[in-house]
Amino acid sequence: MQQEFTLGIEEEYLLVDQDSLNLAIAPEALIQACQADFQGQVSPEFLQCQIEVGTRVHTTISSARDDLKRLRACVSSHAADHNLAPIAVSCHPFADWKDQHHTRKSRYDALQHALGGVARRMLICGMHVHVGIEDQALRADLMPQLSYFLPHLLALSTSSPFWNGEDTGLSSYRLTVFDNLPRTGLPPNFSSWAEYERTTGALIELGVIEDTTKIWWDLRPSHQFPTLETRIMDVQPRLEDALALAALNQALLRMLCRLKEGNLRWRQYDRFLVGENRWRAQRYGVREGLIDFGDRSIKPMVTLLEELEQMLSEDMEMLGTVNEIGRLKQIAETGTSARRQRQVHANAVTNGEDPGRAVVRHLIDEFQADL
């Protein structure tokens, strides 16, 4: 079994004006200042109101924490110079997507042209976690096994209950928007790396896509790195919640590799069934639990987390992530950002305040709290 399970974390943030609390365009000077501090780790995103950060490659969650904290602090500090603030949330509570414009760069112009009107609604932010899996065949083997846990990761990460000033009733409305794009959703089940290359290669050879960066499944082999990249999660207002989710990704892949060493594997369930759990996570977050297909029952998220901790005990110990993954049980008990946002919204209505603005202030405070 491979000895190291390196990881990297990518996050997308929205920039808001500190007075109006509405979305604001990222000034070129802000991007340049961040890039001067963190060359290659900060970049503009598809929409002008977005900014993306990415950690370096890390072997421990501790070093990833230091890197991500510095990145968040960098963006926050330079944004403040322009009376702006970043929020790490997957949908702005009241902004109108029709008022936003994409960043004028050749690759974003091409994306706008390829996706048409669908691209205009992409006022969403996500969190991506890369875990290093050196062997290509192993990546193909692990992908359908890890797919079983994608709804768990989504449920624990939900941070987008509002859209255009309305409560959508969903915990992750971001996924509803994202699923309008082609080549999204749960990944197909490939029997080998060769099958993955044949399938994706068909679109590349026809000129439909230039490479696999235009495949946006919830989980995919990275085009640039020898990693599996989990993309289903909403971005996290709280730094420590982001790290807990990254740690769970890392531990799950180590556990699956450990099973393989013992000539075992996680049972592969039909995408239709995993898709039902994906919907439950999207709709309810951690509130209503997920289906345990082996047990043929719906289990509360707290119970599922307790079972996961037992399965991952060896992996958490070896990776040094007992505390981080233990935090996920607290999320399952008290709720995700989606629940906190709804509570802030309800309190503001009761107090006669502007609820949308109250939620944005809350999100700014949560981003700043861990810096």
Side-chain angles (χ1 to χ4, degrees), residues 100-167:
Q100 310 308 315
H101 302 282
H102 76 276
T103 303
R104 298 313 302 263
K105 292 184 179 292
S106 58
R107 65 190 180 105
Y108 294 139
D109 290 344
L111 191 62
Q112 173 73 51
H113 175 75
L115 298 176
V118 172
R120 287 203 60 206
R121 298 182 69 244
M122 294 295 292
L123 184 54
I124 55 176
C125 294
M127 168 188 172
H128 306 158
V129 174
H130 293 257
V131 176
I133 303 293
E134 293 292 335
D135 184 72
Q136 291 177 335
L138 183 58
R139 267 175 261 159
D141 185 46
L142 295 179
M143 193 158 69
Q145 298 181 66
L146 184 60
S147 291
Y148 177 85
F149 299 100
L150 292 174
H152 301 66
L153 292 165
L154 174 61
L156 291 162
S157 74
T158 49
S159 73
S160 48
F162 299 107
W163 180 255
N164 276 12
E166 296 184 1
D167 189 330

Side-chain angles (χ1 to χ4, degrees), residues 179-215:
D179 284 347
N180 283 293
L181 270 65
R183 303 177 294 278
T184 57
L186 294 169
N189 292 329
F190 298 109
S191 60
S192 66
W193 185 259
E195 183 184 5
Y196 164 74
E197 289 193 315
R198 282 195 305 272
T199 303
T200 58
L203 298 187
I204 296 170
E205 291 166 13
L206 290 168
V208 176
I209 56 176
E210 61 266 33
D211 54 45
T212 55
T213 62
K214 297 302 185 293
I215 294 172

Side-chain angles (χ1 to χ4, degrees), residues 60 135 225 247 253 274 285 308 329 348:
T60 68
D135 184 72
F225 310 111
L253 280 168
V274 179
L308 267 179
K329 186 178 177 183

